[in-house]
Amino acid sequence: MKHPLTTLLALVAGLAAAATATAQKFEGLALTPPMGWNTWNTFASNIHEELIMATADAMVANGMRDAGYVYIVLDDTWSALERDADGNLQAHPEKFPSGMKALGDYLHERGFKFGIYGCAGRKTCAGYPGSWGHEFQDARKFAEWGVDYLKYDWCHTDTADPRDAYLRMRDALYAAGRPIVFSICEWGQSRPWEWAADVGHLWRTTGDITDCYDCVQRWERGWKVILDLQYSLVQPHDGQNNGIGRYAGPGHWNDPDMLEVGNEGLTLAESRAHFSMWCILAAPLMAGNDVTKATPEVLAILTDPEAIAIDQDPLGKQGWRFRAETGREIWVRELAGGDWAVALLNTGDEPARLSVDFSHMWFIEGERRIRDIWKKRDAGTTAQPFTDVIEPHGVALLRLMRP
Ligand code: GLA
């Protein structure tokens, strides 16, 4: 006969296993960084169902869906200002009169996935109902509507602990049973890279982006400022292990915020460099422009298959800054199969002839062929330095390939 203590221990172990089995996130949903489009950067609260449907139609016609941008995410202000009599979230009656289920169906029928925004606090950042105390009810409603992606914000949270709040919503999503990518948006305040790999599939690392190169507004920053911030978040910087890159990988990504590519505060060169750097960072690629009006030049950036292949590289290793000097930065990213990506950034305000000398890159063994991704040409081998004239705040994005 078993000793009663053995039986008790087995029971406790069984209960613990059962608890772990229910408290987990959906695995395998974001093995590469999620790609899609989000309403916020261009439209803020001016959203409605015709805009979402027109955007989806445009993304089919202009090749964005087929390039990988499948998550269409409604950010803040999609809901009614009040919950219904049963406490359920409901669609804003004027903006989304057909309701969320119908909109989700429209997107699914066209090969997209449906993303929505929520907030851990009592209210969202724009003052709409938050999920505080309604987590399980809201997760069930999202699942019922066919939601595939939840961005979950952090306004009006009083003294709540982010770990508790995001764990609670993760468990609610898991209990609702529909696989949903969980996007944590607490702006890096509690260092989510240290605790969120088992909670969400991506986590914001900083405050909000805006469409400039390096401006700083009260809460919003240009992409270069965010790039530097994300780089410096964790000390010490020891070669390949610098910044917070080591915390990212398949299923759990650092999120330096959505793209401003194509928005009016950026030159075309700045948009191209912003996109290139987000690919080096293994960042989620959430377009934030009006895709119904995107120019061919902007679409060429967003849909470039060679740049996207760097972002979506299956090894899932985030890149890092190899050199930073006045007027020039060099970033590198290890790719699957022994390839490397290199970005040569002109941080100066004038066009400049810049070089990369690969003989300094001790971590790359053997010679590689160089592919210049934006110029669409082969550019010799790593036996010679690469040199080109680069526009102000522009970039050369290279793929170093095995011969
Ligand atoms: C916060 C988020 C933004 C956006 C707004 C919406 O600022 O960081 O990305 O979702 O809220 O109100």
Side-chain angles (χ1 to χ4, degrees):
M1 202 185 100
K2 276 191 186 157
H3 190 280
L5 188 60
T6 317
T7 316
L8 184 65
L9 286 177
L11 187 66
V12 170
L15 285 175
T20 332
T22 50
Q24 54 183 288
K25 71 174 188 182
F26 291 104
E27 292 297 336
L29 276 188
L31 295 178
T32 59
M35 293 174 66
W37 177 83
N38 175 299
T39 54
W40 188 255
N41 284 357
T42 292
F43 296 99
S45 62
N46 298 316
I47 55 174
H48 46 84
E49 59 190 32
E50 288 81 19
L51 169 73
I52 307 304
M53 294 188 288
T55 297
D57 294 348
M59 290 171 72
V60 174
N62 70 19
M64 283 183 70
R65 181 199 60 188
D66 292 344
Y69 295 85
V70 293
Y71 289 98
I72 294 196
V73 184
L74 309 187
D75 209 287
D76 204 348
T77 77
W78 61 265
S79 83
L81 276 166
E82 302 293 340
R83 291 173 176 272
D84 72 11
D86 298 323
N88 289 309
L89 288 174
Q90 47 187 349
H92 190 286
E94 280 102 48
K95 294 176 178 176
F96 295 97
S98 312
M100 288 298 141
K101 175 81 174 72
L103 187 60
D105 289 347
Y106 187 92
L107 297 176
H108 290 142
E109 281 158 17
R110 284 155 185 80
F112 291 100
K113 292 180 182 293
F114 180 25
I116 214 163
Y117 164 101
C119 185
R122 295 176 201 283
K123 289 183 174 181
T124 72
C125 296
Y128 290 69
S131 290
W132 181 283
H134 289 269
E135 291 87 352
F136 283 76
Q137 180 178 23
D138 292 352
R140 282 195 302 275
K141 190 51 79 180
F142 296 149
E144 188 186 310
W145 288 339
V147 165
D148 305 295
Y149 182 108
L150 174 66
K151 171 178 172 180
Y152 201 51
D153 214 342
W154 190 242
C155 285
H156 303 286
T157 44
D158 302 338
T159 57
D161 180 311
R163 285 175 199 74
D164 296 343
Y166 284 97
L167 271 170
R168 193 166 166 75
M169 186 44 106
R170 174 202 71 173
D171 292 348
L173 293 173
Y174 199 76
R178 181 177 171 89
I180 290 181
V181 172
F182 190 30
S183 159
I184 294 174
C185 180
E186 55 71 89
W187 320 304
Q189 289 184 353
S190 66
R191 303 164 68 92
W193 43 90
E194 290 175 355
W195 56 263
D198 295 330
V199 181
H201 300 92
L202 58 157
W203 50 79
R204 281 276 295 279
T205 53
T206 59
D208 290 2
I209 197 166
T210 190
D211 64 332
C212 67
Y213 172 68
D214 63 355
C215 66
V216 177
Q217 294 164 7
R218 205 172 58 90
W219 172 241
E220 298 172 333
R221 283 129 207 259
W223 66 260
K224 181 60 168 69
V225 182
I226 288 186
L227 185 71
D228 293 342
L229 272 175
Q230 184 174 287
Y231 173 80
S232 62
L233 277 168
V234 173
Q235 303 289 345
H237 295 206
D238 50 351
Q240 299 182 49
N241 247 357
N242 61 21
I244 57 176
R246 62 179 174 276
Y247 296 99
H252 48 95
W253 307 101
N254 289 311
D255 175 7
D257 206 0
M258 304 172 290
L259 295 169
E260 294 284 1
V261 171
N263 288 339
E264 62 183 21
L266 295 177
T267 65
L268 205 56
E270 289 169 342
S271 273
R272 203 178 287 115
H274 167 30
F275 192 74
S276 304
M277 295 317 302
W278 263 228
C279 292
I280 291 279
L281 290 182
L285 298 179
M286 288 290 170
N289 56 325
D290 180 348
V291 298
T292 68
K293 301 199 178 104
T295 62
E297 291 79 11
V298 166
L299 285 172
I301 297 172
L302 288 171
T303 61
D304 185 89
E306 294 179 283
I308 291 175
I310 291 175
D311 183 75
Q312 298 286 300
D313 184 79
L315 194 59
K317 274 197 162 184
Q318 184 173 322
W320 46 285
R321 190 163 71 185
F322 168 63
R323 285 271 192 280
E325 294 147 7
T326 308
R328 178 186 83 155
E329 289 186 14
I330 299 171
W331 290 71
V332 294
R333 177 174 175 190
E334 187 182 359
L335 305 172
D339 284 7
W340 284 78
V342 174
L344 173 60
L345 197 59
N346 177 4
T347 55
D349 298 332
E350 302 293 334
R353 176 171 290 279
L354 299 177
S355 293
V356 196
D357 184 343
F358 304 99
S359 68
H360 296 156
M361 295 184 176
W362 72 92
F363 40 86
I364 304 181
E365 281 171 21
E367 197 173 311
R368 299 288 199 286
R369 288 183 296 123
I370 303 173
R371 173 75 177 163
D372 182 336
I373 288 179
W374 296 119
K375 295 267 173 87
K376 294 286 161 232
R377 65 182 182 204
D378 297 333
T381 76
T382 53
Q384 305 292 328
F386 170 91
T387 302
D388 204 1
V389 176
I390 300 179
E391 297 156 287
H393 308 159
V395 77
L397 181 64
L398 310 176
R399 185 176 183 117
L400 311 185
M401 299 184 292
R402 285 193 179 280

